[in-house]
Amino acid sequence: MFKDIFFTSYLLTIAISLTFIFLNLVLANNIYLYSKKKNIFTNFRFSYLIFYYVVFLLDCIIFNFLILNKSGINAFYIYLFLKLIFLVISFKKFNFKPRLYIQKKYLLILTLFFLISLLPLSDADSINVHLNFPLAFFHNHENLLNLSKYAELSLFQNSEIILFNSVLLKSENIGSLLNYSSLLVFIFLEFSKPKNKGNFLVFVLSIPLILFLLNTQKLQVFFGILYLVIFIYFYENKSFFKKKIELAVIAFVFIFYLSGKISYILLAGPLFIYMLYRVKNPYF
């Protein structure tokens, strides 16, 4: 079935996936530059990454609406086409050029991670669950919300919704590149200032699960980085209570994190408590 859905050409698959990631990075850049004009997230170094997640949050909102309305595949392509038009209309000069203070050996490791994320789909969980839902929705044309018949697929979350892009674009490794791109942008922004954070980078790059997750369609690195960015925002920021629009955006991406997977609700508990504490005690 996968051979009938996805492109069999490995190079074509890579080209489409990289183009998809690049276009969404550009769209995030457009929103980021607009927010700077409006004085939003001006003092938060991960603001660009926040808007990268906002792009996929909007994808999920539209895709969920189309799913609930049992729309055909053409409706999804129309949305992607409109999204591309908006990107062209709102296009601005790419402004994401942080100066890196990373040793070359770490850049080599990041390059190896990139090559790993380009490897073909192979793990059973991605095939049977994460990509199986969009495949079943588009090609089986059955009611997947039937809990008694599709117990696992009917419990879909936004991790699976994002992967609708993989099926629509016939590219099997968009999920792994989303994991890699979120990790890469985070590291670039974190090391854009001359601070001694080598130990932190060694810790991140040496986590064994990173190697596994960068070659799967499980978006755990993607959502894990979002969790970390939200925590950093409340940890470092002491004036967020003055900018309600920032809190609103953070609240939306926090809900986006919750919607990634059912188990994320448990993980979000401590973060939510910390968020409430910081809002009440911003100068502590």
Side-chain angles (χ1 to χ4, degrees):
M1 181 180 180
F2 276 75
K3 291 183 179 179
D4 298 330
I5 304 302
F6 297 109
F7 288 118
T8 55
S9 171
Y10 181 55
L11 293 178
L12 181 59
T13 296
I14 292 176
I16 292 175
S17 297
L18 291 177
T19 301
F20 171 80
I21 295 297
F22 175 74
L23 291 178
N24 281 282
L25 287 170
V26 172
L27 184 55
N29 176 71
N30 296 347
I31 303 174
Y32 166 71
L33 293 178
Y34 177 80
S35 70
K36 286 183 66 176
K37 290 182 179 180
K38 299 296 181 180
N39 199 32
I40 302 172
F41 289 112
T42 53
N43 297 320
F44 185 50
R45 67 183 186 278
F46 295 110
S47 55
Y48 175 85
L49 191 53
I50 287 289
F51 292 115
Y52 186 51
Y53 284 102
V54 167
V55 170
F56 292 101
L57 167 61
L58 295 175
D59 276 359
C60 289
I61 292 173
I62 300 299
F63 285 173
N64 277 292
F65 175 79
L66 295 177
I67 291 169
L68 292 175
N69 283 276
K70 300 179 181 178
S71 303
I73 192 171
N74 289 335
F76 289 83
Y77 280 122
I78 290 173
Y79 165 71
L80 292 181
F81 179 69
L82 293 175
K83 181 180 176 181
L84 181 61
I85 291 177
F86 176 76
L87 186 152
V88 173
I89 293 175
S90 63
F91 178 78
K92 299 181 184 300
K93 185 178 180 180
F94 207 76
N95 198 40
F96 179 57
K97 299 178 180 178
R99 184 177 179 181
L100 292 180
Y101 295 89
I102 304 177
Q103 296 180 34
K104 291 182 179 180
K105 60 182 179 181
Y106 297 134
L107 291 176
L108 177 61
I109 294 175
L110 289 173
T111 302
L112 293 175
F113 280 5
F114 171 67
L115 295 177
I116 290 172
S117 69
L118 295 178
L119 294 175
L121 178 68
S122 59
D123 66 295
D125 201 22
S126 296
I127 296 172
N128 292 328
V129 179
H130 300 291
L131 277 174
N132 198 21
F133 175 76
L135 283 172
F137 179 83
F138 285 131
H139 298 283
N140 288 1
H141 306 293
E142 294 189 53
N143 181 17
L144 299 178
L145 302 180
N146 186 344
L147 184 60
S148 61
K149 189 174 182 180
Y150 298 102
E152 188 168 22
L153 291 184
S154 62
L155 298 176
F156 67 92
Q157 301 292 305
N158 276 336
S159 288
E160 287 74 43
I161 299 301
I162 293 175
L163 294 180
F164 271 57
N165 289 296
S166 291
V167 179
L168 291 169
L169 299 176
K170 302 182 182 298
S171 180
E172 64 188 40
N173 57 1
I174 283 179
S176 57
L177 282 172
L178 281 173
N179 283 329
Y180 178 79
S181 63
S182 57
L183 176 65
L184 185 68
V185 173
F186 176 84
I187 290 175
F188 275 26
L189 293 174
E190 177 68 9
F191 288 85
S192 60
K193 294 182 180 180
K195 296 181 180 179
N196 184 17
K197 301 175 183 176
N199 292 334
F200 171 77
L201 187 57
V202 170
F203 171 74
V204 171
L205 298 181
S206 63
I207 297 175
L209 266 178
I210 292 290
L211 288 173
F212 168 70
L213 293 174
L214 287 178
N215 185 228
T216 72
Q217 304 308 300
K218 300 178 181 180
L219 299 181
Q220 292 177 356
V221 174
F222 178 79
F223 282 103
I225 295 295
L226 175 58
Y227 186 102
L228 182 57
V229 168
I230 295 173
F231 173 81
I232 293 173
Y233 175 79
F234 283 95
Y235 179 77
E236 295 184 348
N237 202 332
K238 293 181 172 57
S239 60
F240 48 76
F241 62 93
K242 296 179 181 179
K243 297 181 179 180
K244 295 182 179 179
I245 184 65
E246 289 187 10
L247 282 177
V249 174
I250 292 293
F252 278 117
V253 294
F254 176 70
I255 294 172
F256 181 47
Y257 171 80
L258 288 174
S259 69
K261 199 174 182 181
I262 293 178
S263 61
Y264 292 172
I265 297 175
L266 296 176
L267 298 174
L271 178 60
F272 182 68
I273 294 172
Y274 182 71
M275 289 165 59
L276 292 179
Y277 173 77
R278 289 290 292 152
V279 169
K280 292 185 178 181
N281 304 275
Y283 294 105
F284 182 77

